[in-house]
Amino acid sequence: MSIKQFVIVALVLLVLGIIVFPLINRKQFRNLPYDQQIRVLMKEANSLAYFKNISKGSSGTLYFVKNKRKILFLNWTLSNGEMHCTKQNPLLKWDYPENNPLLTDDERKLVEAEIESYNKKNPVKFIYDEVSNK
């Protein structure tokens, strides 16, 4: 195998690994059933507070996982370069577990602080209606 052939094979593998495979995985996650999405999120969560943003162009969902046990689904639409939450009272109840327990005041403060730190790290800010959460 010549050096040119080796370089071409390496470039093809690099393009597949960096661009093509992540796009396929993201699309497959959106098409998974609800319970399998939750299972994947629980496995991916590598800290006490974990965010995953799945976008579908100008809309999407920001997932917040707390302690690998509780999940908030924050649906959003893109407007003026910001992600605006479309969910009524987004910090009222957990979306998972299924019995939808209410967020305690400590949990609400934790989620608000984590959203603030998420906004500091990302160029597109997540905005939600704070008045409806009180």
Side-chain angles (χ1 to χ4, degrees):
M1 195 177 205
S2 71
I3 294 178
K4 273 187 175 178
Q5 290 173 330
F6 181 73
V7 169
I8 290 173
V9 168
L11 286 174
V12 168
L13 290 175
L14 190 64
V15 167
L16 282 174
I18 292 175
I19 297 171
V20 176
F21 292 143
L23 290 174
I24 292 170
N25 286 340
R26 188 174 302 136
K27 184 173 180 173
Q28 285 179 340
F29 181 80
R30 279 187 248 149
N31 295 332
L32 286 175
Y34 175 74
D35 60 333
Q36 289 181 357
Q37 284 183 2
I38 289 173
R39 193 171 307 136
V40 169
L41 285 171
M42 298 290 190
K43 278 187 175 181
E44 283 183 4
N46 53 5
S47 61
L48 295 178
Y50 174 76
F51 282 101
K52 182 172 183 86
N53 187 14
I54 302 294
S55 68
K56 301 170 190 167
S58 63
S59 65
T61 304
L62 182 66
Y63 297 94
F64 174 74
V65 182
K66 179 187 176 247
N67 294 340
K68 294 188 173 190
R69 293 180 300 134
K70 296 181 179 180
I71 300 177
L72 274 178
F73 300 141
L74 303 167
N75 299 323
W76 56 266
T77 57
L78 193 62
S79 174
N80 298 328
E82 297 175 331
M83 297 184 301
H84 291 274
C85 186
T86 58
K87 184 177 176 183
Q88 283 292 87
N89 299 321
L91 303 183
L92 183 64
K93 295 181 182 180
W94 292 104
D95 293 305
Y96 181 83
E98 284 86 11
N99 60 359
N100 296 345
L102 295 173
L103 272 81
T104 63
D105 289 335
D106 292 337
E107 289 173 334
R108 186 174 291 114
K109 288 176 186 174
L110 172 74
V111 172
E112 289 172 351
E114 291 297 331
I115 289 174
E116 284 180 30
S117 70
Y118 177 85
N119 284 338
K120 287 178 185 175
K121 294 176 187 173
N122 294 299
V124 180
K125 306 300 179 212
F126 181 78
I127 309 296
Y128 62 96
D129 185 12
E130 295 180 25
V131 175
S132 64
N133 295 322
K134 305 238 186 246

